[in-house]
Amino acid sequence: MFEQTRKRLTLMYSGMLALILLVVFVGFYWTLFAIMLRNEQAQLEAIGEKAIHEWKESRERKLLPQSSEEEGLIVERRMDFDFLQPNQLFMLVTKEQQLFKLNAEHDSQLASAIQKAILEHEPTAGRIAHISVTAAGENKIFAVYRPFFAEDDAKLYLAEDVSRMEQLLHQMRWTLIVTGILLLGGAALVGYWFSGRAMIPINQSYKRQIDFTTDASHELRTPLSVILSSAEILQEKKESLPAFHQTVLQSMLDEIHRMRRLADDLLTLARSDVEANQKRHFQKVGLYGLIREVAERMQIKASAKKVKIVNRAALEGVYLMGDGDSIRQLFYILLDNAVKYSEEGSEVVVDAVLDGTNRVVCSVRDYGNGIPKEDLPYVFERFYRADKARSREVEGTGLGLSIAAQIVKMHKGQISVSSSKEQGTLFSVVLPILSS
């Protein structure tokens, strides 16, 4: 129980830290990305203004070609491209011709690939688009910008090689991912250690509570046994007592028996709480013989109320790994509870069916008045009595079903209850079994 709480605390703290790291790292990455994109846009807008200005001046001087290729070469020689950086390029497309200027470091194959990519992925005016170009085994990423151009018969494109920036962003992504994983792993280990330290006083307090319950139950059993023996001696001479004294004596005996059962149940719960936090040495337990034995023994008690126990659990050869005494006590509790709340002359049905190859569903049904719907979620809580009006009439301590739930949990199973006034109450227990 404490180990599970410790793991849940560690998981919760790790999840909170993971969320914080995610927000911080994603925020940092997108801030860096936005800054780099804004810088790219600012640079390309600046050279765009210079390129438009240079192109207009050249046109006014009538240096740009009208149609012939020879004139285009003249213009390219005369037009000033000093505004271009080594990693930038200029591309002008008109109805008559296409002018392309690229750094001499790039070969003609890459230049053709860039022109083709720009025309295929034409960016919106005033926006930046990123294109990937591969030529001669070399992969390049360009940021392409198309400035607003007043001329209807011409389109201007400016591009910048941002391969290094993209590589930097790629490295930054992996650095943040690896750093986040390492930080999260280290924080989880530290958090697990600290949660263990934080659980020490809780564990000690819980152990003291269990020790107190165990010791108190042990200490109560001795005086209760003495009082019970004394009351039974008086019971032998009850015929000589007045009628009122006989009634008082019987009430005293009933309360002594009730107190003794309560002490025994508290001791059982205390032991099960301790055992639940320890590793159990389970053994192979046969369900068929165990259920039959419990049903036959409980029939003696049921006969006093004219209740018949019907055993339909014919599961020969079905075994589970568990504590035989605890499983036996589980069925005693369920059958005892069913007999108590059954109507006189009715039946209690015990059944068990296989659920797949590794589970068995055991059920105990009575045909009593049922449990109110509002009480069903609380029937497994300690000291809870659904039928409060009959809590004194029907013997019990309100701990039986709590013990049953504890036994089922100890065996990695599940217990549930359904009830209605018309069909009575059905307790179902799902337990893992050994595969045949």
Side-chain angles (χ1 to χ4, degrees):
M1 178 177 66
F2 289 106
E3 185 64 23
Q4 291 177 354
T5 303
R6 182 180 182 183
K7 289 178 181 178
R8 284 198 295 267
L9 283 173
T10 304
L11 185 62
M12 182 179 66
Y13 293 144
S14 300
M16 292 174 62
L17 179 62
L19 182 61
I20 293 172
L21 288 176
L22 181 66
V23 172
V24 172
F25 285 176
V26 170
F28 172 77
Y29 176 80
W30 283 109
T31 301
L32 179 63
F33 176 77
I35 291 173
M36 294 176 70
L37 189 65
R38 189 165 59 248
N39 288 340
E40 288 175 9
Q41 178 124 5
Q43 290 179 5
L44 290 173
E45 285 177 352
I47 64 172
E49 292 177 0
K50 294 179 181 178
I52 292 173
H53 177 73
E54 183 69 23
W55 182 79
K56 287 180 178 180
E57 284 189 352
S58 300
R59 192 174 183 183
E60 288 174 0
R61 296 175 193 151
K62 297 184 179 180
L63 294 177
L64 284 178
Q66 300 297 322
S67 58
S68 71
E69 230 175 83
E70 183 178 355
E71 288 179 352
L73 293 174
I74 294 172
V75 169
E76 187 175 350
R77 284 196 300 269
R78 292 181 179 178
M79 191 172 177
D80 188 5
F81 291 101
D82 291 342
F83 57 86
L84 290 178
Q85 300 296 323
N87 64 334
Q88 296 172 343
L89 61 90
F90 169 93
M91 180 175 174
L92 179 67
V93 179
T94 64
K95 293 180 180 179
E96 293 82 13
Q97 55 105 31
Q98 177 177 308
L99 180 61
F100 187 83
K101 181 64 178 176
L102 184 66
N103 189 2
E105 295 179 0
H106 300 99
D107 56 25
S108 58
Q109 187 178 1
L110 180 61
S112 300
I114 293 172
Q115 294 180 62
K116 182 180 178 182
I118 291 176
L119 294 176
E120 287 179 353
H121 306 282
E122 183 177 345
T124 306
R127 304 292 296 274
I128 285 182
H130 288 81
I131 60 172
S132 179
V133 179
T134 302
E138 185 180 16
N139 185 55
K140 294 285 186 180
I141 298 175
F142 286 86
V144 181
Y145 175 67
R146 178 185 163 193
F148 291 101
F149 205 29
E151 301 293 334
D152 296 331
D153 60 343
K155 292 182 180 179
L156 178 63
Y157 301 94
L158 299 158
E160 184 176 0
D161 186 354
V162 293
S163 302
R164 290 184 180 179
M165 292 184 181
E166 289 295 329
Q167 186 178 6
L168 175 63
L169 284 174
H170 180 74
Q171 292 174 349
M172 182 63 67
R173 280 197 300 269
W174 279 106
T175 300
L176 292 176
I177 290 172
V178 173
T179 303
I181 292 173
L182 292 177
L183 286 175
L184 189 59
L189 291 175
V190 174
Y192 185 76
W193 183 79
F194 274 115
S195 62
R197 300 289 296 176
M199 293 295 292
I200 289 176
I202 301 174
N203 198 355
Q204 290 174 346
S205 177
Y206 182 76
K207 187 176 181 303
R208 283 195 297 269
Q209 179 184 348
I210 296 298
D211 291 342
F212 169 77
T213 305
T214 305
D215 294 341
S217 301
H218 272 298
E219 293 299 324
L220 282 172
R221 295 179 74 183
T222 301
L224 283 173
S225 298
V226 173
I227 297 172
L228 180 60
S229 300
S230 302
E232 287 175 346
I233 292 173
L234 291 175
Q235 182 77 2
E236 295 175 0
K237 304 292 183 179
K238 69 175 184 178
E239 300 298 333
S240 61
L241 296 174
F244 177 73
H245 290 183
Q246 290 183 23
T247 304
V248 172
L249 178 60
Q250 188 60 48
S251 299
M252 185 172 67
L253 279 169
D254 292 341
E255 291 302 320
I256 293 171
H257 282 296
R258 184 171 178 274
M259 287 292 293
R260 193 172 184 180
R261 285 194 303 272
L262 177 60
D264 290 340
D265 287 346
L266 285 172
L267 184 59
T268 301
L269 275 176
R271 285 173 177 168
S272 63
D273 285 338
V274 173
E275 291 166 353
N277 294 302
Q278 297 175 348
K279 290 186 178 180
R280 299 278 305 196
H281 298 288
F282 287 162
Q283 297 178 343
K284 192 175 180 181
V285 179
L287 274 179
Y288 175 73
L290 186 146
I291 294 176
R292 184 181 61 181
E293 174 193 341
V294 174
E296 289 175 353
R297 292 186 179 180
M298 283 300 300
Q299 183 60 62
I300 300 172
K301 181 177 181 179
S303 298
K305 200 174 179 180
K306 297 180 182 180
V307 173
K308 183 180 178 181
I309 297 178
V310 180
N311 181 13
R312 296 177 182 169
L315 291 179
E316 295 188 55
V318 176
Y319 298 91
L320 59 82
M321 290 299 292
D323 181 74
D325 292 337
S326 296
I327 297 295
R328 190 174 288 104
Q329 184 182 15
L330 167 65
F331 286 102
Y332 270 124
I333 291 170
L334 295 179
L335 281 171
D336 181 62
N337 189 75
V339 170
K340 275 191 228 173
Y341 292 99
S342 291
E343 296 295 331
E344 188 172 330
S346 62
E347 290 183 346
V348 171
V349 180
V350 185
D351 202 355
V353 293
L354 290 175
D355 181 17
T357 58
N358 58 353
R359 298 199 313 174
V360 63
V361 181
C362 305
S363 62
V364 176
R365 176 185 287 278
D366 68 68
Y367 295 93
N369 291 327
I371 302 172
K373 186 177 180 180
E374 61 271 16
D375 291 323
L376 285 177
Y378 311 105
V379 295
F380 297 110
E381 292 186 3
R382 298 179 182 184
F383 298 106
Y384 189 81
R385 303 292 298 274
D387 194 354
K388 299 175 179 64
R390 298 177 59 195
S391 62
R392 289 289 177 178
E393 297 175 17
V394 181
E395 61 179 16
T397 61
L399 292 174
L401 292 177
S402 299
I403 296 172
Q406 191 75 15
I407 293 171
V408 173
K409 182 180 179 181
M410 185 172 63
H411 287 81
K412 310 297 182 185
Q414 298 169 347
I415 186 170
S416 60
V417 58
S418 60
S419 185
S420 66
K421 192 172 182 179
E422 296 77 18
Q423 298 182 353
T425 303
L426 174 68
F427 284 92
S428 300
V429 177
V430 181
L431 293 171
I433 60 173
L434 296 175
S435 301
S436 55

